[in-house]
Amino acid sequence: MSIYFFLFFLLSLSTALDDCTSTTSKCSDDGPPIRFPFRLKNQHPPHCGYPGFDLSCSPNNTTTVLDLPNSVKVLVTHIDYKSRLIHIKDPNGCFPRQLQNLNLSTTPFNFPDSMDYFVVNFGLFSCPPSTKMEGYYWPYEKGHTYRVTCLRGGDGRDVYFLDNSSSIAYIPELISCRKMYNVWSVPYDVFDETADLQLQWLQAPDCGKCETDGKFCRLMRNGTSEEILCFGNLNPPKKDSVHNFRIFSCLAAKPNFPNCGSCLNGNVHVMSGEMTIQ
């Protein structure tokens, strides 16, 4: 057996054991790192991620996109794997425009509901331009109503939102308005174009411990759907990555390729499905 075949076999074995989860991908240099339970569609096989955690890159590879049901798209700006949170924003800077189609019930995600991130149901109203209701604005209290600055209700009309737990009877200005539609289980911040919106996931395996220990996370083979395995190193030494690159270079080279001898003289070790070169 030639040394080339032996090295190729070891590399293939290591890749299979890692099951494509020992790498972190990005859509751009400043984009969020993408790893299990997420995967990049059209780049990683389905088994590299958990169902419902498919991401994609924009056509120009500058942003990370999450496709939600009913053609709702959001950009993912940050992924907190320890807290199981993703930070999102609207591609066009007006998330309220997508709220009518938003339905998270069939996804692993929902808006976190807490005292700092209050989730309620809202009604949206189309009102004449002369309507003035800013005086009713007071966050997280009944009667909270405010204009949605990036929406228009047609014929120059403004759009206002109102907490559905409030009665229109307390806001006489709404008499001249017409109800457009309801929005369910969203925080007040979805109407703030500058807000840092967050979605949480609770259904997928919890990789928080692995992340805290600086390790990758994957489903345990032959285990239950929730059992995970922590493995590898999220921040491997740069020296190892250089040596791994040299192995690939030598495998592709002819035996008499310049500078290939130093690679072939290295010591190869395989431990727990991972390979390092010394």
Side-chain angles (χ1 to χ4, degrees), residues 227-247:
E227 289 182 313
I228 62 168
L229 173 68
C230 301
F231 72 103
N233 188 348
L234 288 175
N235 301 293
K238 292 183 178 180
K239 182 179 179 180
D240 290 341
S241 61
V242 172
H243 282 167
N244 287 335
F245 176 78
R246 286 178 179 173
I247 289 177

Side-chain angles (χ1 to χ4, degrees), residues 45-278:
H47 66 269
C48 289
Y50 200 76
F53 286 78
D54 297 338
L55 300 175
S56 60
C57 298
S58 60
N60 55 4
N61 290 325
T62 58
T63 56
T64 306
V65 181
L66 172 63
D67 290 298
L68 296 171
N70 303 325
S71 300
V72 174
K73 291 180 180 289
V74 295
L75 303 183
V76 179
T77 59
H78 177 71
I79 303 176
D80 186 338
Y81 290 91
K82 294 180 182 178
S83 301
R84 292 197 280 182
L85 289 171
I86 59 174
H87 297 245
I88 63 170
K89 67 178 183 180
D90 184 83
N92 301 306
C94 185
F95 193 61
R97 188 173 288 121
Q98 300 195 80
L99 289 179
Q100 187 175 11
N101 297 321
L102 183 66
N103 182 359
L104 299 177
S105 62
T106 59
T107 76
F109 306 102
N110 62 274
F111 289 103
D113 192 3
S114 66
M115 291 301 296
D116 296 327
Y117 210 73
F118 205 42
V119 174
V120 294
N121 303 323
F122 295 96
L124 270 70
F125 296 81
S126 174
C127 303
S130 59
T131 305
K132 301 295 181 183
M133 290 188 289
E134 278 80 355
Y136 289 95
Y137 177 75
W138 192 258
Y140 313 128
E141 289 188 4
K142 290 185 178 181
H144 175 184
T145 180
Y146 201 58
R147 187 166 65 91
V148 184
T149 57
C150 67
L151 286 183
R152 290 292 181 269
D155 299 327
R157 298 169 70 91
D158 294 325
V159 176
Y160 288 81
F161 66 89
L162 173 68
D163 183 337
N164 275 351
S165 63
S166 303
S167 172
I168 296 179
Y170 294 112
I171 306 176
E173 285 82 356
L174 286 179
I175 294 177
S176 59
C177 304
R178 62 172 179 263
K179 182 75 170 286
M180 297 170 60
Y181 51 84
N182 290 314
V183 177
W184 309 105
S185 301
V186 297
Y188 283 90
D189 286 349
V190 297
F191 300 105
D192 183 350
E193 299 169 39
T194 64
D196 176 28
L197 297 178
Q198 301 173 18
L199 292 175
Q200 66 179 358
W201 72 87
L202 300 175
Q203 300 177 15
D206 185 0
C207 293
K209 182 181 183 302
C210 299
E211 292 282 332
T212 300
D213 294 339
K215 296 181 179 296
F216 288 95
C217 172
R218 71 180 178 205
L219 292 178
M220 187 175 295
R221 295 180 180 86
N222 300 322
T224 69
S225 60
E226 300 298 325
E227 289 182 313
I228 62 168
L229 173 68
C230 301
F231 72 103
N233 188 348
L234 288 175
N235 301 293
K238 292 183 178 180
K239 182 179 179 180
D240 290 341
S241 61
V242 172
H243 282 167
N244 287 335
F245 176 78
R246 286 178 179 173
I247 289 177
F248 281 102
S249 298
C250 290
L251 285 174
K254 296 180 180 179
N256 60 351
F257 191 83
N259 300 323
C260 200
S262 60
C263 293
L264 298 180
N265 291 330
N267 296 318
V268 180
H269 300 278
V270 178
M271 300 179 62
S272 301
E274 298 175 13
M275 182 167 62
T276 59
I277 305 300
Q278 298 178 343

Side-chain angles (χ1 to χ4, degrees), residues 33-50:
I34 300 170
R35 53 182 175 266
F36 187 87
F38 294 92
R39 76 174 181 104
L40 275 178
K41 292 187 295 185
N42 302 324
Q43 294 190 31
H44 302 145
H47 66 269
C48 289
Y50 200 76

